[in-house]
Amino acid sequence: MKYAYLLLTALAFGQPLEARAQTGERIIEITNPEFRAFPLAVSETKNLDRAELTAPMKEITEVLRWDLDTSLLFRVLNPKSHLADPVKESMVASAIDFESWLNIGAEGLIKAAALQVSTRLTVDFRFYDVTSGRELLQKRYEGRPEEARALAHRFANDVVEKLTGKPGIFTTQILSVRKTRKGREIWLCNMDGTNPHPVTKNGSINMLPAWYPDGRRFLFTSFLARNPNLYVASVDKGAASLLSGRQGLNTGGAVSPDGRLLALTLTKDGNSEVYVQPAEGKGLKRLTNHWAIDSSPSWSPSGRRIAFVSARWGDPHVFVMNADGSDVQRVTERGTYNQTPDWSPRGDLIAFTARDERNVFDIFTVDPKTKEIRRLTQDQGNNEEPSFSPDGNHVVFISTRTGKSELWIMGVDGSNQKQISQGGGYLTPAWSPYPAR
């Protein structure tokens, strides 16, 4: 019960967890080699009006369990193991039988109680440390019954922030490309795959979405004008504006973390090269100048380095360079076909797609400093096109393991892989930044 002890120690020495979170100090760090998932019980949501649960109340329980299991912080216990009666047991710490929760191995406990009156839903959420019986977090949210999922996401975010100092990812979104009868459109969904819908509807071939740091706009390449041009569009409105329409490819757009610069791939001079320009204006600068193909730029979180793909040593590999094009270094020294790099928001890893000796594509990460490579997927179809979550703890990717190209998410160590889309035809996902708070 090491992490329960850490939580209790923080409380015992008089520094509230809220203060620790505000200073950015992390109480639990997933990347710590000694980290282990926190055993957590999520009790059935209690109806404060009557015994029968409404559909929104059932949804709250399901969403909390899915979110917190996905977070990697927790190992959510099977509800069949619960001994306590959620209808009879109180929400108040003094009346909770914590020993019964300890007996099933829980170190954390989440309880929710809801009241639905006409078109209003009020939910009281509680998070307890089972070992001490202390209440660590309490929140009350109100909304419409159809907003039950969103309310549960909000509390799951709050729980993660309480323990790590960083908000959860459960209100983030994912852009991707989806094949249609007429071409390919850009689609948007929530990080759990719900509410999938197209944000472009131009009937053309649209590719490679990439987010702006504000989380409200995105870049994409489209053949709308019969040339692969680079556009910017609003997630809400979808109306596109031309950013780069030079002859040849205008693709692989990526906005710097501060929103000031745009990296992109152009073939205007006859070869595929990486360039940068002001994100909102003119002033193009060429960063690479080589006979081989250079493409797919991805910014480091500091904005001082750029990862890219180059075939300058024969096969495509992942390289990094300074944002001015200097100090080019190869970081993937294994494999013969490495592509689609995405630099983690934490800065410690670059995720990429590689083809192995059996001509199967899988997801890997590489440490840009040590060049250590780790394989995340294997023996489950083709797995490609990784994109990091804003906390750097998760990756969204494409997998064909079910026979269709679907969106999947997993932990940065390859654990806890979950399918989030249905219907197939998905390509090149891009995980959003945190939404504005």
Side-chain angles (χ1 to χ4, degrees), residues 168-290:
I169 57 172
F170 307 114
T171 53
T172 59
Q173 297 176 299
I174 294 169
L175 285 168
S176 62
V177 171
R178 194 172 190 190
K179 296 179 182 178
T180 67
R181 292 181 179 179
K182 295 182 178 180
R184 297 179 180 182
E185 301 287 359
I186 309 297
W187 279 57
L188 179 71
C189 67
N190 297 327
M191 66 80 57
D192 59 3
T194 58
N195 192 30
H197 61 278
V199 290
T200 63
K201 300 177 183 179
N202 55 38
S204 183
I205 297 176
N206 305 283
M207 306 181 300
L208 301 173
W211 291 89
Y212 273 73
D214 60 17
R216 297 189 298 270
R217 296 173 294 165
F218 66 97
L219 297 168
F220 67 104
T221 296
S222 178
F223 283 81
L224 189 59
R226 299 187 179 183
N227 188 67
N229 295 334
L230 190 65
Y231 295 85
V232 57
S234 165
V235 171
D236 296 329
K237 298 179 181 179
S241 299
L242 180 66
L243 275 181
S244 179
R246 300 170 178 91
Q247 183 65 35
L249 287 176
N250 300 260
T251 190
V255 183
S256 61
D258 62 6
R260 297 175 57 190
L261 294 174
L262 168 64
L264 68 164
T265 303
L266 301 175
T267 59
K268 68 182 187 66
D269 296 321
N271 194 45
S272 176
E273 304 287 355
V274 177
Y275 296 75
V276 292
Q277 70 176 48
E280 307 297 344
K282 299 180 180 180
L284 191 66
K285 179 181 179 181
R286 184 169 175 169
L287 298 187
T288 62
N289 191 354
H290 200 277

Side-chain angles (χ1 to χ4, degrees), residues 19 31 95 98 101 113 125 148 180 194 209 273 281 294 296 303 319 349 359 386 432:
T31 57
F98 286 107
W101 293 106
F125 294 98
T180 67
T194 58
E273 304 287 355
D294 297 317
S296 306
F319 289 73
L349 296 172
N359 289 324
S432 77

